[in-house]
Amino acid sequence: MADLVLDTVTKRFGPTTALDAVSIAVRSGEFVSLVGASGCGKTTLLRIVAGFTRADRGTVSVAGVRVDTLPPHRREIGFVFQSYALFPTKTVAQNIAFGLHLKRAPKREIAARVAELAALVRLDDITGRYPHQLSGGQQQRVALARALAPGPKLLLLDEPLSALDARIRAHLRTEIRRIVEQTGVTAVYVTHDQEEALSISDRVAVMDRGRIVQEDDPVSLYRKPQSRFVAEFLGESNILPARSDGNGALIVDGLGARLPRPAGLPVAEVYAVSVRPESVVLGNGGAGALAQGRLVSADFLGAAVRLRVAVDGIAELTALCPSVHWAKSGVGAGGPVSVHVAPEDMAVFPDTGAAGA
Amino acid sequence: MWHRKTWPCSRTPGLPVRDLAGHAIAVAVTALVLLFIAVPLGAVLLESFHVAGPLPLEGLKRITVEAIALIPEEERDEAVQRWVDSADDRQWMDGVAAALELIGEEVPWNRAANYDDQIAAARDAVSALPPDRRAAFDAELPIAVIMLHKRIPLAFAVRDRLDEDQFATLRTGAEERLALDHYRAFLEEPRLQNAAKNSLMLAGLACLLVVPVAFLLAYGVNRAAVPFATTVRFAALVPLVSPPVIMAFAAILLFGRQGVITNDLLDHALGLIDADTDNLYGIGGVVLAQLLSFTPPAFIILDNALARQDGRLEEAAASQGAGPWAVFRRVTLPMAAPGLVRAVILVFILSMTDFGNPLVIGRDFPVVAGIVYDEMIGFSNTPLSAALCIWLILPAIVAYLVLEAAMGRKRYTSAGDTGVATELPVPRPARLGIASVTYLYLGLVSLVYLTVVVGSVTRVWGQDFSLTFDHFRETSSVYGYVASEQGLSSVWQSIRIAAMAAPLGGILALIIAYIIERVRPPGRNLLNFVVLLPAVLPGVIFGVGYLVFFNAPLGMPELALTGTSAILVANILFGNMFVGVLAGRALLQRYDASIEEAAASLGASTVERFVRVTMPMMRHAILLGALYVFIDGLTTLSAVVFLVGPEHDLASVAIFDHASNAYYGLACAKSVAILATVALVMGAMGLSERIARARGRVLAPARRPA
Ligand SMILES: Nc1ncnc2c1ncn2[C@@H]1O[C@H](COP(=O)(O)OP(=O)(O)OP(=O)(O)O)[C@@H](O)[C@H]1O
Ligand SMILES: [Mg+2]
């Protein structure tokens, strides 16, 4: 078990800057996810930590020791590849035992460890098979077991589930979480599936064009995005323009809401407020309504209904309402509605325009 | 790159069954391919069992008795008596020996002794015969004498009562039958055994040298372990388009008795060696020539194998704690094993069937392929040559089957990001080693080409290094060498033949590809298999097959193609068509069949569709197929050497002849002419492709989503 510290790691491929002075610290035993759009540098970051690629600048330390000058085979870092990269000429058991063989561990020890890991990933009955005789999900588990077998200080997983279909994915991600927790290894997990990241991580770092734009625990990250990019990348969001009233408060345009300025908010000319659709509560008038609008459309999604509301001053708001509540309200399209948002459900940040995403 | 990835065409185009034209053409093309590929190859096999041997005594007696019976009754006894009487003592003695054998007695004297002794012994033996055997003996003796020594007058006496074959058999006393004699000769004759030993040793050495060198080249290029990897890859492939035996005679010019390095530098200038004894003739020279000639084809295979490797596997191993050497030994090498096996087998076959290099530089180092050449060219002994050909490819086939069986268990399908190389650096010492081997090899190749160019304008290499262009000229009489082989007329002839074969080959290849991919008749697997045969079978066999079969196709000498340019065109065309077929199939698999279905729905017939829709899209494949046929037509030796007639000399054959007769200037001049032609044509094709691309005439391949 060890912690991982990256300090201003930079990597260029010709004209592209894959990583732009990235710094991040992962605590020992922590499960951190990296999310971001395709091409934002997630894989590059992992490969630099593993030692497959060299950074142009910056340092990588594991357990307080700099590893960036070490070749990958001396770093004791396990890696799970998107394509699994199982050795096709070796059986499941031989794949798992590969690293142990290299350490010249005694035969009996190897056999015991292979059995232990095969049990951990629930593959004990097919250790004699070759990779091409396995399903995608099974290959994935073998790759995980192989990476864990030598007892790495750190486990890196690069979109390990992206080649699988949605149903298996949901199941396997909890499996991965369980296995990582059981072994207690520090893990960095790359995905571009935000739901996956939010559901299994202790902490999530959002990347955009070679930079980490925000890192936090999943709930804070979701509830308090600190930029338009994060707000839009993680789930759906209503972004509303806001401005300072010069008296330490913020005015959300259109909603007419006045918020106390959050502590630590950087000074900027324009601000934006993010409101999650499920935080937008509709009613028929009543106290505390922020604004009045008209219902434009209602899309039934099963568990919830997606409502589009036209509000004076802002183009449109999206609200998500549990369908059981919606059924009782009886409002039809074109009907008047009042809009309610609790102040704590609004996240404020300086608006840099519709960059990214 | 068309050959790296193909987009499988999961849907067969819905061609109507009533599309008779397509199927009729498919049948005709299949028949054509069978006739020009499968049948000649089969003819080699058949020919190898042909034994023309003297009839055994019983057989001789039978045909003699039958022939005598044909003589009119009234003349018969007198004729027999005349022939018996006219036999001299030696002939009588032979008759006695045969008659004794016919009645089942042992011949009681040494048949190898001198004739006078034998004759005396025969007299003694006759008088010593017991009386009861004597009658039988007397009955056989006249027949025995006639059948051994008077068969020819007998044959002419009854000629009008015999058919052609009977007459020939009677006259020669020999008959054709099918037997394994030629295969046995290989096991029994010391000359062949020695050659077999040499061939195996040579092939073994070639594999030991070529495959590692080619692997290092490919590894260096794929893992960026050498500087200028792209240039290295290109340079490594250049010798593929070189004229035959160029490596061998260039090696002689460099390292031979008169070689600039051995003689002028090491002997005269430095006095380190004596070039008359220390030179590269013999097995060393052959191995060097083969190393230079066979590394490019082996490189292609290994380059392909390594380029397909998933670099993530190596990274996975590294993250498991494997150092660079362990990664190489435990991952890279096992993954490359199938490619290595194919390379070994390819080099083995190439070396075993190579006669050019051994004949030019391998003095006193006879190999089986050289004997095939000698037996064919010198003695027209096709049956023995055919049997030797079969022996030549047998070890490779056996090796292939054994290795396939051994590796079958480890067959796998690779998935994932195949073809993405790892960025893991190759350790410095390894890089240095790889780079030195690479540049040493490329330096040697460059030296060869430089030597050939210089040699083509040098009066007499080793003696008179003055500048001359005589080797290119028609008129000069160099060393009284026969005029027809001077100058560049054979080069023009080669270009003419290759230029005839190339477009035919390109288009026929595309038709075949189209049939296999789109018409999909029931026999398409057979068609595909037969077209690919020349790719795996050595040229020698293909040449011998053409000679055997087209001498009298289907037993009709009137149809003979031997000695015409048609046989050369056909041989070059059908021997190299597979490249165009493979390219065409790969392209067709990438193009959406729906383009053609659209054309069909607009009312285009198969033929119209092919001409209007497919051909324009497939320009690239046609060009590639035609180019390959053209280049091979200019440079191939092994097949056509058996087929050129007196008026149809080819440059490659002329180069080989010059080189084996030590007219190196002429060989160099023709080689330079060929290389210039190839460079010109490839340059022109590259240019036309570029122009076409610039004009946007090349359709971007319609890729299907994976
Ligand atoms: N070996 C390379 N050579 C050149 N450019 C590269 C290389 N590897 C990555 N890049 C570039 O660096 C950037 C970051 O790539 P990276 O693979 O890290 O993205 P990613 O976040 O993993 O994307 P994805 O979600 O698609 O896997 C991209 O613009 C990519 O094109
Ligand atoms: Mg990636």
Side-chain angles (χ1 to χ4, degrees):
Chain A
M1 302 326 99
D3 60 328
L4 165 72
V5 178
L6 271 76
D7 186 27
T8 56
V9 171
T10 299
K11 176 72 184 176
R12 286 198 185 79
F13 294 105
T16 24
T17 302
L19 292 179
D20 188 2
V22 170
S23 300
I24 187 175
V26 179
R27 284 184 295 276
S28 186
E30 197 177 19
F31 193 116
V32 170
S33 288
L34 293 175
V35 293
S38 187
C40 70
K42 307 181 293 290
T43 298
T44 306
L45 192 147
L46 282 202
R47 289 174 59 80
I48 284 174
V49 174
F52 305 146
T53 305
R54 264 178 183 261
D56 299 333
R57 258 184 299 127
T59 60
V60 181
S61 314
V62 176
V65 181
R66 270 188 63 177
V67 296
D68 41 282
T69 51
L70 292 179
H73 65 279
R74 307 261 297 281
R75 293 194 185 185
E76 298 179 63
I77 294 177
F79 203 108
V80 178
F81 295 84
Q82 188 170 1
S83 58
Y84 317 138
L86 298 179
F87 305 123
T89 53
K90 294 184 183 344
T91 61
V92 169
Q94 287 166 339
N95 263 285
I96 297 176
F98 186 85
L100 303 165
H101 268 300
L102 289 168
K103 287 186 168 174
R104 302 186 197 292
K107 274 218 163 58
R108 255 194 304 133
E109 213 171 282
I110 293 179
R113 179 91 175 123
V114 168
E116 179 193 338
L117 280 156
L120 184 67
V121 298
R122 310 209 165 120
L123 284 178
D124 8 11
D125 45 341
I126 53 169
T127 52
R129 290 209 203 153
Y130 286 90
H132 69 266
Q133 298 168 318
L134 303 179
S135 73
Q138 290 169 328
Q139 291 185 33
Q140 213 292 313
R141 291 156 189 256
V142 177
L144 185 60
R146 182 181 65 178
L148 289 171
K153 291 178 177 158
L154 187 62
L155 181 66
L156 308 176
L157 306 102
D158 188 5
E159 304 196 30
L161 303 179
S162 65
L164 304 173
D165 67 48
R167 196 177 288 269
I168 304 181
R169 230 150 67 189
H171 169 66
L172 266 184
R173 73 183 185 215
T174 48
E175 280 281 290
I176 289 181
R177 180 71 225 222
R178 169 184 69 81
I179 291 161
V180 168
E181 226 156 55
Q182 237 163 312
T183 54
V185 69
T186 312
V188 180
Y189 184 99
V190 161
T191 175
H192 55 227
D193 180 339
Q194 28 120 351
E195 187 187 308
E196 201 169 287
L198 294 175
S199 70
I200 60 171
S201 317
D202 296 325
R203 212 139 54 85
V204 177
V206 183
M207 289 183 71
D208 180 29
R209 286 172 296 173
R211 293 167 167 274
I212 291 180
V213 289
Q214 192 178 350
E215 47 173 306
D216 220 328
D217 64 278
V219 175
S220 312
L221 196 65
Y222 184 78
R223 293 179 53 89
K224 295 287 175 204
Q226 281 162 22
S227 64
R228 182 187 275 262
F229 176 80
V230 174
E232 288 179 337
F233 186 79
L234 292 179
E236 218 178 333
S237 191
N238 294 294
I239 308 281
L240 311 172
R243 59 193 156 79
S244 175
D245 71 347
N247 297 324
L250 291 168
I251 298 169
V252 183
D253 286 329
L255 287 182
R258 187 177 289 265
L259 303 173
R261 184 191 172 96
L265 183 71
V267 181
E269 284 185 12
V270 225
Y271 297 91
V273 169
S274 157
V275 182
R276 297 293 180 190
E278 63 271 23
S279 305
V280 178
V281 179
L282 302 183
N284 32 16
L290 285 178
Q292 300 298 324
R294 268 180 312 102
L295 188 66
V296 176
S297 66
D299 296 333
F300 181 66
L301 302 177
V305 181
R306 183 197 304 276
L307 304 160
R308 319 263 312 148
V309 181
V311 181
D312 309 332
I314 23 174
E316 240 170 33
L317 271 183
T318 302
L320 212 55
C321 176
S323 42
V324 282
H325 295 179
W326 173 247
K328 292 175 196 150
S329 77
V331 184
V337 287
S338 58
V339 178
H340 309 248
V341 181
E344 66 270 26
D345 287 338
M346 297 192 212
V348 188
F349 41 81
D351 193 16
T352 50
Chain B
M1 299 223 118
W2 57 268
H3 60 277
R4 286 275 163 77
K5 270 196 179 125
T6 55
W7 280 261
C9 183
S10 54
R11 217 151 41 104
T12 54
L15 289 180
V17 183
R18 63 188 154 80
D19 199 352
L20 280 178
H23 284 267
I25 292 174
V27 169
V29 168
T30 308
L32 197 68
V33 165
L34 284 176
L35 181 66
F36 280 94
I37 296 179
V39 174
L41 289 174
V44 176
L45 198 59
L46 199 64
E47 182 77 6
S48 69
F49 298 112
H50 260 255
V51 179
L55 280 167
L57 287 180
E58 296 292 345
L60 266 185
K61 177 184 167 188
R62 185 174 46 75
I63 60 168
T64 308
V65 169
E66 281 168 11
I68 289 175
L70 293 174
I71 303 175
E73 180 122 34
E74 58 280 11
E75 300 165 25
R76 194 181 298 151
D77 288 345
E78 191 224 335
V80 168
Q81 197 57 51
R82 193 174 67 239
W83 285 324
V84 173
D85 290 346
S86 67
D88 61 23
D89 284 350
R90 188 174 65 83
Q91 293 172 342
W92 174 80
M93 176 273 292
D94 279 345
V96 170
L100 284 174
E101 275 186 53
L102 283 173
I103 64 168
E105 294 285 330
E106 291 231 342
V107 178
W109 72 87
N110 177 9
R111 290 292 273 127
N114 75 45
Y115 287 131
D116 290 340
D117 294 348
Q118 284 202 53
I119 292 164
R123 293 220 173 87
D124 295 344
V126 172
S127 46
L129 264 181
D132 54 321
R133 306 299 293 146
R134 183 62 192 239
F137 173 80
D138 284 345
E140 297 291 356
L141 185 60
I143 304 281
V145 171
I146 292 172
M147 76 184 195
L148 289 180
H149 292 295
K150 303 299 172 185
R151 241 180 21 249
I152 295 171
L154 169 63
F156 280 98
V158 295
R159 179 171 196 171
D160 28 343
R161 265 157 260 186
L162 296 173
D163 66 25
E164 194 86 18
D165 280 352
Q166 287 173 315
F167 176 71
T169 311
L170 188 59
R171 201 170 62 90
T172 57
E175 62 163 2
E176 298 245 310
R177 64 203 151 84
L178 297 180
L180 287 170
D181 292 27
H182 301 305
Y183 289 92
R184 273 209 300 276
F186 191 78
L187 302 175
E188 287 160 4
E189 279 188 37
R191 167 181 80 121
L192 295 178
Q193 279 175 348
N194 181 38
K197 218 175 62 213
N198 288 347
S199 281
L200 284 172
M201 185 163 77
L202 178 62
L205 278 176
C207 286
L208 278 180
L209 252 140
V210 170
V211 176
V213 168
F215 185 83
L216 281 186
L217 282 173
Y219 187 77
V221 166
N222 279 287
R223 293 293 305 274
V226 288
F228 313 112
T230 342
T231 319
V232 168
R233 177 178 275 142
F234 176 77
L237 294 176
V238 166
L240 281 177
V241 297
S242 52
V245 296
I246 178 173
M247 302 301 175
F249 67 78
I252 292 178
L253 297 181
L254 289 169
F255 306 109
R257 202 159 288 152
Q258 303 283 333
V260 277
I261 291 182
T262 32
N263 192 39
D264 296 288
L265 181 69
L266 296 178
D267 187 348
H268 289 177
L270 299 178
L272 293 177
I273 59 164
D274 177 5
D276 286 338
T277 51
D278 307 322
N279 53 49
L280 215 65
Y281 291 110
I283 184 167
V286 184
V287 169
L288 176 68
Q290 292 197 338
L291 169 68
L292 294 176
S293 319
F294 301 157
T295 299
F299 171 80
I300 291 187
I301 290 181
L302 295 170
D303 182 33
N304 227 316
L306 289 178
R308 281 161 186 273
Q309 270 194 17
D310 182 0
R312 302 293 167 259
L313 290 176
E314 286 157 323
E315 288 166 1
S319 73
Q320 294 273 295
W325 172 242
V327 170
F328 179 78
R329 200 170 59 83
R330 287 165 180 266
V331 178
T332 316
L333 218 47
M335 294 294 293
L340 281 167
V341 165
R342 282 194 298 142
V344 165
I345 285 169
L346 175 80
V347 173
F348 198 87
I349 293 191
L350 285 175
S351 173
M352 287 290 276
T353 60
D354 173 27
F355 58 84
N357 291 316
L359 287 183
V360 169
I361 198 175
R363 302 194 175 161
D364 309 324
F365 186 72
V367 295
V368 178
I371 289 179
V372 171
Y373 174 81
D374 286 341
E375 290 289 331
M376 284 295 286
I377 300 291
F379 308 103
S380 299
N381 190 352
T382 38
L384 178 61
S385 306
L388 292 182
C389 280
I390 306 287
W391 274 117
L392 279 180
I393 53 167
L394 215 56
I397 293 177
V398 170
Y400 177 76
L401 293 178
V402 168
L403 288 168
E404 276 295 286
M407 301 208 319
R409 200 174 56 83
K410 299 208 168 154
R411 219 161 257 287
Y412 56 85
T413 47
S414 51
D417 32 16
T418 315
V420 181
T422 173
E423 294 164 59
L424 291 177
V426 175
R428 203 177 147 73
R431 271 206 320 268
L432 281 179
I434 292 169
S436 358
V437 170
T438 304
Y439 286 115
L440 197 66
Y441 168 79
L442 292 182
L444 217 51
V445 171
S446 316
L447 197 59
V448 162
Y449 284 100
L450 187 70
T451 305
V452 171
V453 172
V454 174
S456 71
V457 292
T458 299
R459 194 165 296 278
V460 183
W461 192 273
Q463 288 161 27
D464 178 0
F465 278 100
S466 58
L467 182 73
T468 177
F469 291 103
D470 283 355
H471 303 309
F472 291 94
R473 284 195 198 127
E474 207 75 43
T475 49
S476 67
S477 81
V478 189
Y479 331 119
Y481 201 46
V482 267
S484 73
E485 295 188 20
Q486 282 173 30
L488 298 183
S489 61
S490 62
V491 174
W492 295 122
Q493 174 74 358
S494 278
I495 294 176
R496 211 168 58 82
I497 301 265
M500 279 195 277
L504 288 176
I507 291 175
L508 187 58
L510 182 62
I511 294 177
I512 290 170
Y514 187 83
I515 289 172
I516 294 173
E517 287 297 325
R518 293 286 198 268
V519 181
R520 305 179 74 87
R524 62 180 182 274
N525 288 337
L526 174 73
L527 180 62
N528 191 36
F529 175 75
V530 173
V531 167
L532 289 181
L533 271 180
V536 288
L537 289 178
V540 185
I541 294 189
F542 208 51
V544 172
Y546 265 53
L547 190 62
V548 170
F549 179 69
F550 290 110
N551 230 346
L554 314 171
M556 287 180 281
E558 307 81 48
L559 297 181
L561 285 181
T562 33
T564 65
S565 22
I567 196 172
L568 294 174
V569 172
N571 187 273
I572 290 167
L573 192 164
F574 286 97
N576 298 294
M577 205 170 46
F578 61 90
V579 175
V581 174
L582 291 176
R585 288 190 55 196
L587 257 179
L588 280 171
Q589 282 168 358
R590 269 168 58 171
Y591 280 117
D592 200 321
S594 58
I595 295 180
E596 286 164 51
E597 286 169 343
S601 70
L602 293 172
S605 71
T606 300
V607 177
E608 276 174 337
R609 225 158 44 220
F610 180 78
V611 173
R612 299 251 179 120
V613 182
T614 313
M615 290 250 292
M617 288 197 308
M618 307 295 290
R619 216 171 44 91
H620 183 71
I622 299 183
L623 277 184
L624 183 68
L627 182 67
Y628 192 85
V629 172
F630 184 78
I631 291 178
D632 202 74
L634 289 187
T635 57
T636 185
L637 172 70
S638 57
V640 294
V641 72
F642 304 112
L643 303 175
V644 291
E647 303 103 73
H648 297 284
D649 205 2
L650 288 181
S652 53
V653 180
I655 291 172
F656 173 58
D657 283 341
H658 295 322
S660 2
N661 293 312
Y663 295 114
Y664 301 119
L666 294 173
C668 288
K670 291 191 175 71
S671 301
V672 168
I674 296 248
L675 285 170
T677 311
V678 170
L680 218 67
V681 169
M682 286 181 74
M685 286 220 167
L687 204 65
S688 81
E689 278 286 274
R690 204 171 293 175
I691 292 171
R693 217 171 287 255
R695 287 190 191 156
R697 272 200 277 133
V698 178
L699 269 163
R703 292 182 177 189
R704 281 155 172 255

